[in-house]
């Protein structure tokens, strides 16, 4: 698994200094005008950590960005400014090796290498994994397993799926263009998608990371988000830590992001949105492009306990 | 063509083929029995059968195992354990015992165990913890089961690894000779000739999903290459029934005496475009099928002892599900949405998550001795 090795000199102390400055919990927030541009913190404010169970994650500082696009599909509009609290996000998509530690039934089709991402994972199974990983590390599980949708307690310190806003913030890494690396022609260097994916998943971390140092956000497997999918949500989305629209109760789709090995380059854009059925009533969920990665909140006192990567 | 002429024609046809005398006798019995049922309603035909049907049902916040007559009358709760959750009954080949699963605990700490009891519910005994989806060996001396993949509970049906057999006389557990290569199997069923075990596999054994024929005493594995899940051999060993999808149950011929059995063309196709239909099981005379039927759903977590997943899975509450019986002798498509009482019979109507039926021939031992 390739490592960039950059930002290695960054100290946790620096992270902690930065992380309280724009968190929505510590100050009142006004909604900035969309045309004032992204104010995502500098890339140097990010840091890499390894969790107790050995998972590599990247700390993303709190910040603002322009979510959505008026140049994409109708559901990506209007572009709107969003402010997010700091959070940790998996550096890689959840792999077979990671999934097996949680002792859950692995539904994946391509299991020939433990470093491949899991797929055919239902939304609920992904959340179950988050809870198991939380328990493995002695964290408070975010998801209430006694509720039909495994309701999320965002105040808990355990793992959960990213919100759609967190996912796009992580993918954009401060960029306002469709891809953080530049023109679509360079997508082959950054992700596995229909043009180069050879009709299958690939080992995570083989392509170049984005500017935050996150791998496979473009392609390989699409990634579940916590949010209910609504094509009109951006018209009413709150400006701070949006968590998606309420569950309509029927025909619910959840957000998937990032495209996959079978997606077009267009579907791998940072703002591209996909609504996918969760497969709760389907014993055999055959969507072999559905994967995920986890996030967790990043409060200073919690970060200080995490091991700094070399 | 008269009935007599029809039988003679059938006999001539059969005697010109490689069918055995046993097969001839079976066909004669079935044909004669069908002829004697002429004029009787389908429910009346079922009521004349010497068989019963065991099944799981969720009643008063509890999973229980019931037995009823073949026409759905006289249901009896065999377990009556308000705090223990029993399901997945499987009847021994001689009809004297029932093995089943019981869940204890809650959530990820649930322990699913294999039990056995007499067919009247007496002499209940726990055999193995962390066991899934048991199936009887044809001689009735051992019960096969699929060990749970990890100690922590998960409701998904393919959460298994390997295959083992519990020897009833000694209590000894023996792994299948090819156990290390068996992974993520579910719903196994032993062939009556003792040669094969058929099971569904999901995300394991090198396939995405499939139905595998596993050599009972060797290491041969054959992918039957038929879509769907939950296969079940007819007791006469000549047919296989399974669910090609959520809304169909099919039956087709199979030659289990072959070293490379193949599934023939689907002879029977029972369909329901609205409801899910699952859990097919053959009557002891291979003439009837029992199946579960009900609306799509993902369970109801407010009910104790249940989990959330696709509602056909063991331990998931299936609201509105009932059992029905159909004839296995009628070729072609039977659309349950437009069928009449002449074609099929609802055996339960309370909708209490009635699933996983298993036919039972209570006095089979005595009848065979006579």
């Amino acid at each position: 698994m390739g490592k960039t090795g950059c930002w290695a000199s960054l100290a946790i102390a620096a992270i902690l200094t930065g992380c309280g400055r724009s968190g929505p919990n510590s100050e009142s927030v006004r909604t900035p005008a969309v045309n004032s541009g992204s104010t995502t913190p500098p890339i140097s404010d990010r840091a890499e950590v390894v969790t107790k169970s050995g998972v590599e994650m990247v700390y993303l500082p709190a910040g603002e960005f322009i979510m959505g696009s008026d140049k994409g599909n109708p559901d990506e509009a209007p572009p709107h400014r969003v402010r997010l609290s700091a959070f940790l996000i998996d550096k890689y998509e959840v792999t077979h090796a990671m999934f097996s530690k949680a002792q859950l039934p692995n539904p994946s089709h391509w299991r020939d290498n433990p470093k491949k991402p899991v797929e055919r994972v239902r939304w609920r199974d992904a959340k179950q994994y988050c809870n198991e990983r939380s328990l493995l590390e002695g964290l408070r599980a975010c998801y209430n397993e006694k509720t039909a949708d495994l309701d999320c307690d965002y105040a808990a310190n355990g793992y959960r799926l990213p919100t759609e806003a967190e996912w796009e913030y992580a993918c954009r890494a401060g960029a306002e263009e469709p891809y953080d690396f530049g023109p679509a022609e360079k997508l082959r260097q950054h992700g596995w998608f229909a043009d180069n994916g050879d009709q299958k998943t690939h080992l995570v971390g083989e392509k170049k990371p984005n500017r935050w140092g996150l791998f496979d956000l473009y392609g390989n497997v699409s990634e579940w988000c916590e949010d209910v999918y609504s094509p009109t949500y951006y018209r009413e989305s709150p400006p701070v830590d949006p968590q998606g629209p309420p569950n309509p109760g029927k025909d619910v789709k959840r957000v998937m992001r990032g495209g996959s090995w079978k997606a077009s380059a267009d579907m791998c854009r940072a703002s591209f949105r996909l609504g996918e059925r969760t497969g709760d009533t389907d014993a055999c969920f055959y969507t072999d492009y559905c994967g995920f990665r986890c996030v967790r909140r990043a409060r200073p006192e919690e970060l200080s306990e995490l091991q700094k990567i070399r | 063509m008269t009935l007599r002429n029809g039988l003679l024609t059938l006999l001539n046809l059969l005697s010109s083929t490689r069918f055995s005398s046993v097969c001839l006798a079976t066909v004669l019995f079935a044909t004669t029995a069908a002829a004697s049922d002429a004029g009787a309603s389908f429910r009346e035909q079922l009521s004349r059968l010497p068989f019963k049907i065991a099944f799981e049902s969720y009643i008063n916040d509890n999973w229980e195992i019931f037995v009823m007559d073949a026409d759905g009358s006289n249901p009896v709760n065999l377990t009556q354990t308000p705090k223990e959750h029993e399901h997945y009954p499987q009847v021994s080949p001689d009809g004297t015992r029932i093995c089943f699963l019981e869940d204890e605990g809650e959530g990820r700490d649930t322990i699913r165990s294999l039990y056995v009891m007499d067919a009247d519910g007496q002499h209940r005994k726990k055999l193995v913890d962390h066991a899934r989806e048991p199936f009887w060996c044809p001689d009735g001396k051992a019960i096969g089961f699929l060990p749970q993949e990890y100690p922590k509970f998960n409701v998904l049906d393919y959460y298994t690894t390997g295959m083992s057999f519990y020897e009833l006389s000694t209590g000894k557990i023996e792994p299948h000779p090819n156990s290390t290569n068996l992974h993520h199997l579910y719903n196994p069923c032993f062939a009556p000739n003792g040669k094969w075990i058929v099971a569904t596999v999901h995300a394991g054994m090198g396939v995405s999903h499939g139905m595998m024929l596993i050599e009972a005493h060797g290491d041969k594995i054959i992918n039957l290459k038929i879509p769907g899940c939950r296969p079940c051999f007819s007791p006469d060993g000549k047919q296989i029934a399974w669910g090609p999808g959520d809304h169909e149950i099919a039956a087709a011929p199979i030659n289990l005496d072959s070293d490379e059995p193949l599934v023939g063309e689907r002879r029977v196709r029972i369909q329901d475009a609205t409801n899910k239909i699952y859990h097919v099981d053959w009557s002891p005379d291979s003439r009837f099928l029992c199946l579960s039927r009900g609306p799509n759903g993902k369970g109801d977590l407010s009910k104790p002892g249940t989990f959330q997943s696709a509602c056909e899975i063991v331990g998931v509450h299936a609201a509105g599900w009932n059992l029905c019986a159909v004839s296995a002798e009628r070729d072609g498509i039977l659309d349950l949405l437009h069928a009449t009482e002449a074609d099929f019979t609802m055996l339960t109507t309370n909708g209490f998550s009635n699933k996983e039926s298993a036919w039972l021939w209570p006095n089979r031992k005595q009848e065979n001795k006579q």
Side-chain angles (χ1 to χ4, degrees):
Chain A
M1 191 177 294
K3 278 203 172 56
T4 54
C6 56
W7 312 292
S9 61
L10 187 64
I12 287 291
I15 303 165
L16 302 185
T17 307
C19 87
R21 74 184 171 205
S22 55
N25 298 329
S26 58
E27 57 183 280
S28 61
V29 177
R30 60 186 171 80
T31 308
V34 167
N35 62 5
S36 61
S38 171
T39 55
T40 302
I43 296 302
S44 58
D45 279 6
R46 50 82 81 189
E48 296 190 16
V49 297
V50 177
T51 72
K52 279 184 188 172
S53 64
V55 178
E56 294 176 61
M57 298 189 81
V58 176
Y59 163 82
L60 303 185
E64 295 177 351
F65 77 114
I66 304 300
M67 186 174 183
S69 169
D70 54 8
K71 294 172 186 159
N73 297 318
D75 66 349
E76 298 170 38
H80 54 291
R81 183 174 294 276
V82 168
R83 175 172 288 192
L84 292 177
S85 305
F87 62 98
L88 291 159
I89 185 166
D90 287 350
K91 187 174 177 180
Y92 306 101
E93 291 165 335
V94 172
T95 62
H96 299 302
M98 294 161 70
F99 203 77
S100 63
K101 281 186 184 175
Q103 300 193 346
L104 293 169
N106 186 339
S108 303
H109 176 59
W110 289 284
R111 304 177 62 161
D112 51 313
N113 192 303
K115 289 183 178 176
K116 281 192 171 183
V118 290
E119 17 78 26
R120 300 205 309 187
V121 179
R122 286 175 286 203
W123 182 73
R124 185 183 176 84
D125 300 334
K127 296 175 74 150
Q128 185 73 47
Y129 168 85
C130 293
N131 269 6
E132 299 299 342
R133 194 163 125 188
S134 300
L135 297 176
L136 273 175
E137 298 190 8
L139 303 173
R140 186 155 68 89
C142 288
Y143 295 121
N144 182 353
E145 295 173 11
K146 293 185 176 176
T147 59
D149 282 336
L150 285 93
D151 296 341
C152 184
D153 176 4
Y154 287 89
N157 63 359
Y159 295 98
R160 60 175 172 79
L161 296 177
T163 65
E164 186 174 16
E166 286 169 338
W167 192 94
E168 188 167 327
Y169 179 74
C171 186
R172 285 189 177 280
E176 295 186 17
E177 297 75 29
Y179 310 97
D180 85 300
F181 51 78
E185 291 71 37
K186 292 172 70 178
L187 182 57
R188 285 172 173 273
Q189 299 171 34
H190 290 262
W192 298 106
F193 64 115
D195 289 1
N196 65 353
D198 196 23
Q199 297 289 302
K200 61 184 180 186
T201 58
H202 295 264
L203 274 58
V204 299
E206 286 191 327
K207 293 292 185 180
K208 289 182 178 177
N210 78 348
R211 289 189 293 178
W212 287 126
L214 302 168
F215 290 83
D216 296 296
L217 283 161
Y218 306 106
N220 213 0
V221 288
S222 289
E223 299 177 15
W224 284 115
C225 293
E226 179 67 30
D227 306 33
V228 167
Y229 171 76
S230 162
T232 58
Y233 180 58
Y234 287 2
R235 296 178 200 162
E236 62 204 36
S237 169
V240 180
D241 289 331
Q243 295 169 0
N247 186 341
K250 200 177 176 189
D251 298 326
V252 181
K253 290 181 178 178
R254 299 281 171 171
V255 172
M256 295 214 81
R257 288 302 204 104
S260 70
W261 57 269
K262 65 194 305 182
S264 65
D266 182 65
M267 294 172 78
C268 295
R269 288 182 296 106
S271 59
F272 186 89
R273 307 177 70 208
L274 181 67
E276 185 76 51
R277 295 201 186 282
T278 55
D280 285 353
T281 61
D282 187 357
C284 305
F285 190 61
Y286 288 121
T287 43
D288 49 9
Y289 54 86
C290 289
F292 67 106
R293 73 178 74 212
C294 302
V295 300
R296 61 174 282 208
R297 72 181 196 190
R299 290 187 177 162
E301 68 275 16
E302 292 155 357
L303 272 176
S304 62
E305 293 173 10
L306 290 168
Q307 177 191 344
K308 177 76 169 63
I309 212 164
R310 51 193 170 276
Chain B
M1 182 184 290
T2 64
L3 176 65
R4 184 171 173 279
N5 285 342
L7 282 172
L8 285 173
T9 307
L10 180 64
L11 275 171
N12 287 335
L13 175 71
L14 291 174
S15 56
S16 67
T17 68
R18 55 195 167 84
F19 274 67
S20 68
S21 57
V22 174
C23 172
L24 267 173
T26 307
V27 173
L28 264 177
F29 164 76
T31 312
T32 309
S36 69
D37 286 338
S41 75
F42 188 57
R43 187 180 291 277
E44 283 170 344
Q45 289 180 46
L46 294 171
S47 69
R48 293 173 190 170
L49 297 174
F51 314 137
K52 290 179 179 289
I53 297 172
F55 61 102
E56 65 179 44
S57 188
Y58 192 85
I59 184 164
N60 295 328
D61 290 339
N62 189 241
W63 292 106
E64 303 278 22
I65 292 174
F66 281 73
V67 165
M68 63 185 172
D69 292 347
D71 63 352
S73 61
N74 302 315
V76 175
N77 183 345
L78 288 185
T79 42
Q80 300 193 49
T81 49
K83 291 183 180 172
E84 288 147 15
H85 300 286
E86 296 95 347
H87 31 50
Y88 205 79
Q90 298 287 304
V91 178
S92 64
D94 66 2
T96 60
R97 303 174 93 180
I98 297 174
C99 68
F100 59 97
L101 298 173
E102 181 186 301
D103 287 352
E104 295 174 59
E106 202 176 323
R108 61 172 54 68
D109 298 323
T110 300
I111 295 176
R112 181 165 286 181
S113 306
L114 170 60
Y115 280 71
V116 70
M117 64 183 174
D118 292 345
D120 61 1
Q122 300 296 306
H123 304 111
R124 171 196 183 107
K125 182 185 176 189
K126 186 196 249 189
L127 305 181
V128 193
D129 283 337
H130 303 297
R132 317 285 281 237
E133 299 167 79
F135 57 105
W136 286 89
C137 295
D139 62 6
K141 292 178 179 172
I143 300 171
F145 64 95
L146 304 175
Q148 192 168 289
E149 189 171 13
Y150 298 107
K152 191 164 49 183
F153 185 80
N154 190 288
V155 76
L156 288 180
D157 41 17
Y158 64 89
Y159 187 53
T160 69
T161 186
M163 179 184 286
S164 294
F165 296 91
Y166 184 95
E167 192 76 39
L168 286 161
S169 61
T170 62
K172 200 174 168 187
I173 296 173
E174 285 284 348
H176 183 278
N178 198 22
S179 186
T180 53
N181 292 316
L182 305 179
H183 185 228
H184 277 189
L185 291 172
Y186 65 100
N187 275 99
C189 174
F190 226 122
N193 67 1
K195 196 170 174 181
W196 304 99
I197 297 160
V198 69
T200 319
V201 60
H202 188 72
M205 298 166 63
V207 298
S208 179
H209 186 92
M211 273 193 275
M212 308 306 236
L213 211 50
I214 298 155
E215 197 176 16
H217 305 290
D219 57 7
K220 187 184 265 188
I221 297 173
I222 298 170
N223 187 340
L224 288 175
K225 296 189 175 165
I226 51 176
C229 60
R230 298 168 196 269
C232 178
F233 292 126
S234 61
D236 64 10
K238 303 202 173 301
Q239 297 181 80
I240 184 171
W242 78 100
D246 286 339
H247 303 283
E248 180 170 335
I249 296 289
I254 186 169
N255 185 358
L256 291 169
D257 293 326
S258 164
D259 289 334
E260 300 286 337
L262 291 172
V263 177
E265 288 294 312
R266 293 180 207 179
R267 188 180 61 76
V268 178
R269 302 182 71 172
I270 302 148
Q271 299 176 341
D272 186 328
T274 302
N275 298 290
K276 279 186 166 181
I277 47 177
Y278 267 87
H279 313 132
V280 64
D281 193 59
W282 292 86
S283 62
D285 59 1
S286 304
R287 293 178 55 214
F288 300 94
L289 298 171
C290 186
L291 46 111
S292 337
R293 180 191 190 207
N296 200 3
K298 60 179 182 180
D300 179 354
L301 289 176
S302 70
K303 297 189 178 304
T306 73
F307 302 87
Q308 185 166 307
S309 191
C311 62
E312 63 270 19
I313 289 177
V314 178
V316 180
H317 185 262
W321 278 52
N322 283 301
L323 301 175
C324 66
V326 299
S327 169
E329 296 176 315
R330 177 182 155 157
D331 289 359
I333 293 174
L334 174 62
D335 180 355
L336 293 181
L337 290 179
H338 299 100
T340 68
E341 272 286 310
D343 303 310
F344 84 113
T345 294
M346 293 306 297
L347 303 176
T348 66
T349 53
N350 60 21
F352 291 165
S353 192
N354 302 298
K355 297 189 286 185
E356 299 288 1
S357 60
W359 291 77
L360 167 62
W361 193 347
N363 299 310
R364 183 173 204 169
K365 250 185 178 173
Q366 291 88 321
E367 291 190 19
N368 287 347
K369 279 176 187 168
Q370 293 164 4

